[in-house]
Amino acid sequence: MVPTGDREQWHDGDPFSGAIRGRVLHGRGACDMKAGVAANLAVLRAILVSGVTLERPLAIHSVISEEDGGLGAFGTMLRGHRGDAAVLTEPTSNRIVTACAGALTFALAIHGRAAHGSTRLQGMSAFDAFLPVNAALSALEAERNARPDPRFRTTTLPYPISIGRVRSGDWASSVPDLLVAEGRMGVQLGEHPAAARAALERAVGDACAADPWLRDYPAVVSWPGGQFASGHIADDHAFIDEVSNAITTLSGRAAPERTAAPYGSDLRLYSGLGGIPTLHFGPGDVNFAHAPREQVDLDELFAVARALTLLAVRRCGAHL
């Protein structure tokens, strides 16, 4: 589960209230991805209650561990579960997501030399030593986002490199001799994760080679946690039009935009390992995910459930 963060930033200090204000439901996981699971269950419930018969099978996969690498989907694929096509109900803001970037979790260990705070020049702060490495990561991020894939036209930064946690020092009046920074690196569409790792390690290595301290005490890079490759469905695959038609049939509006997502998901396991044409379409806005204002519009949830029900009825050959 994604941590709640500072509970005081949540409405009434309760991240699990499920409070509904107007037509919006609030709480941790509201859009990522309890609403998507609810939409899937509503599809199945509607078909069962209707009494129709399906000529072809319909399956719902509710798997664990997507946030830290996708072991649930991986296990599902290993057990041989397959399909002609799949929709992942990640929050897409009424768009159809046909590709998603990958994401790699990394850690950096930066060594310094301890000293009393009053004689700090006798030591070397691991925090100060980290600064040129952090600058190198910023430069690498800019380089990797200079020419983004056209599918990211709605995304300002398709392949972010961010530091999510920093730990350094064990006493206020001591110069810290170790800093550990943990972060997340975006993997470009079509890029092998090994190539992305090599790019970061090279950038860190170059920064260390250019620094008087780090030249002798270089940063150590490791790769713990989630490791996501990128994934996509072919731009001209007929399944995209089928999903789009189901949406527009019910909404009466223009066809939804087709775009890419800057985060990793189980899409690359279903499409890559499983060989299943897969895309994202689900309720909610990913900008609210992992944040203390996480929420989902209930009308959007209902609209997604209806569109997916129509899609399932058409693809599975429903009849009385």
Side-chain angles (χ1 to χ4, degrees):
M1 183 186 71
V2 175
T4 62
D6 182 3
R7 287 176 173 253
E8 293 303 317
Q9 295 188 36
W10 289 87
H11 181 72
D12 295 331
D14 185 359
F16 300 107
S17 68
I20 297 176
R21 296 193 289 278
R23 299 291 293 169
V24 177
L25 185 147
H26 297 259
R28 171 57 78 235
C31 72
D32 186 23
M33 70 171 274
K34 293 173 182 175
V37 173
N40 291 337
L41 294 175
V43 171
L44 190 59
R45 177 68 175 171
I47 291 174
L48 289 173
V49 170
S50 71
V52 299
T53 298
L54 300 182
E55 291 297 323
R56 290 176 291 280
L58 172 65
I60 293 178
H61 294 176
S62 182
V63 297
I64 64 169
S65 196
E66 188 268 356
E67 289 288 348
D68 56 4
L71 289 177
F74 181 73
T76 299
M77 294 298 97
L78 287 186
R79 288 191 295 274
H81 295 277
R82 295 292 187 271
D84 292 334
V87 177
L88 304 187
T89 48
E90 295 277 355
T92 63
S93 300
N94 298 307
R95 301 184 179 101
I96 296 175
V97 172
T98 61
C100 61
L104 306 174
T105 301
F106 64 87
L108 303 170
I110 310 290
H111 293 278
R113 179 186 293 132
H116 194 285
S118 66
T119 59
R120 70 177 184 84
L121 295 182
Q122 302 303 311
M124 176 61 196
S125 168
F127 177 82
D128 292 339
F130 171 63
L131 297 179
V133 176
N134 189 53
L137 295 181
S138 295
L140 177 64
E141 179 187 69
E143 175 187 329
R144 290 173 59 80
N145 286 276
R147 293 173 296 278
D149 187 283
R151 284 171 285 192
F152 281 111
R153 56 188 170 274
T154 62
T155 303
T156 302
L157 191 65
Y159 310 115
I161 299 176
S162 64
I163 299 296
R165 182 161 60 173
V166 176
R167 306 189 305 276
S168 184
D170 52 16
W171 190 247
S173 61
S174 296
V175 174
D177 60 0
L178 177 65
L179 179 145
V180 177
E182 299 172 358
R184 179 258 193 215
M185 176 189 195
V187 179
Q188 297 170 334
L189 296 183
E191 178 184 35
H192 195 285
R197 294 188 193 100
L200 186 140
E201 290 170 359
R202 185 165 53 250
V204 171
D206 290 347
C208 291
D211 182 84
W213 174 262
L214 294 173
R215 190 179 302 129
D216 294 328
Y217 304 96
V220 177
V221 182
S222 59
W223 299 93
Q227 305 288 302
F228 294 83
S230 65
H232 74 282
I233 183 173
D235 288 339
D236 59 353
H237 199 287
F239 185 54
I240 305 174
D241 288 333
E242 292 180 36
V243 175
S244 182
N245 290 340
I247 298 167
T248 57
T249 296
L250 295 175
S251 70
R253 296 193 294 267
E257 184 177 16
R258 302 176 185 188
T259 186
Y263 51 82
S265 82
D266 284 342
L267 184 153
R268 98 282 187 193
L269 292 169
Y270 280 88
S271 63
L273 184 62
I276 305 169
T278 304
L279 53 77
H280 291 183
F281 175 66
D285 183 343
V286 72
N287 290 309
F288 290 126
H290 297 206
R293 63 190 186 285
E294 187 168 1
Q295 58 189 259
V296 65
D297 185 288
L298 294 178
D299 291 328
E300 184 180 346
L301 167 58
F302 300 150
V304 167
R306 293 186 185 106
L308 293 179
T309 302
L310 179 57
L311 175 69
V313 165
R314 287 174 171 177
R315 281 198 62 89
C316 296
H319 61 83
L320 293 173

